[in-house]
Amino acid sequence: MDLGKFNYSEEVIKGGMLLGGVSVLLTMTVYLVNVELMVEWWFGILNVLISMGLVIYLGINFRNISGGFLSFGKAFKFSFLVMFISYLVGIVFQILLYNIIDPSLPEVMKQLTVEMTVEMMENFGTPDEAIDAAIVGIEQGIEEGTTPLGILKSTPWGTLFIAIFALIASLFIKKNPPVSDRIN
């Protein structure tokens, strides 16, 4: 590739939109197939693993088209920006999903999450008072977390997680040029 025609911003936006699109597609597929899967713990882990794999792939591809080497700092910057753009896509999608596409979904997710949590806590022998307190917290968290303002309020935490995941991805993406052991 001709590095003179290389456009950093375009690569970042393209990567972020691709990552966001894959996440939206995965979520919509699960939503359409069986909404109950959306509250399963493994669905969140699967989503993170797919996203990390795609970010690493995009980062290595970026490294290759930008000359074959990329410092840790530049790999972090690229990964962070790609994931942040994807996160913005996700925010817009969540607002649309919970408030326009299916306004009843937060209530369904609240019921499913409460059922799963109560079952798990009962299996661990948790006292009824603790279960009741957990239910109140879950219900309140889902009610607040699925409103447009609630989704936007989670942005600082989301940005922190993006930074952590970008640090991890950068370990796989970075590649320093070989160092000569000859003294000039």
Side-chain angles (χ1 to χ4, degrees):
M1 177 176 194
D2 180 11
L3 293 178
K5 294 184 181 183
F6 178 77
N7 185 329
Y8 181 80
S9 298
E10 184 179 305
E11 293 300 317
V12 167
I13 292 169
K14 196 167 50 171
M17 296 302 283
L18 176 66
L19 183 61
V22 167
S23 182
V24 166
L25 183 64
L26 181 62
T27 301
M28 279 306 293
T29 301
V30 170
Y31 168 76
L32 293 171
V33 170
N34 184 354
V35 74
E36 291 180 22
L37 298 176
M38 291 177 74
V39 298
E40 292 286 344
W41 63 269
W42 58 263
F43 176 67
I45 292 173
L46 178 66
N47 212 347
V48 167
L49 290 175
I50 289 171
S51 294
M52 281 297 285
L54 189 53
V55 167
I56 291 168
Y57 170 80
L58 291 168
I60 290 171
N61 188 51
F62 172 73
R63 179 187 74 201
N64 291 338
I65 65 171
S66 63
F69 300 104
L70 203 60
S71 69
F72 180 83
K74 289 181 181 177
F76 173 76
K77 180 181 175 186
F78 177 82
S79 301
F80 180 85
L81 292 173
V82 165
M83 285 192 260
F84 190 75
I85 289 170
S86 172
Y87 185 65
L88 294 177
V89 169
I91 286 173
V92 171
F93 171 69
Q94 284 181 11
I95 290 170
L96 291 173
L97 179 62
Y98 296 136
N99 297 280
I100 295 171
I101 296 170
D102 188 353
S104 68
L105 183 59
E107 185 62 33
V108 171
M109 291 181 67
K110 182 170 58 172
Q111 290 172 356
L112 292 170
T113 304
V114 166
E115 288 171 15
M116 289 177 60
T117 303
V118 167
E119 183 180 331
M120 181 187 70
M121 292 177 87
E122 285 176 347
N123 288 340
F124 285 120
T126 307
D128 289 341
E129 304 81 45
I131 292 174
D132 292 341
I135 290 171
V136 170
I138 290 167
E139 289 176 340
Q140 191 174 21
I142 291 175
E143 287 170 9
E144 292 173 5
T146 55
T147 65
L149 183 59
I151 292 168
L152 292 173
K153 278 181 167 179
S154 70
T155 302
W157 284 110
T159 304
L160 175 64
F161 287 115
I162 288 169
I164 293 167
F165 289 127
L167 286 169
I168 295 167
S170 300
L171 294 171
F172 295 95
I173 297 168
K174 75 169 182 68
K175 184 175 182 183
N176 295 321
V179 178
S180 172
D181 57 349
R182 279 183 40 192
I183 298 175
N184 293 327

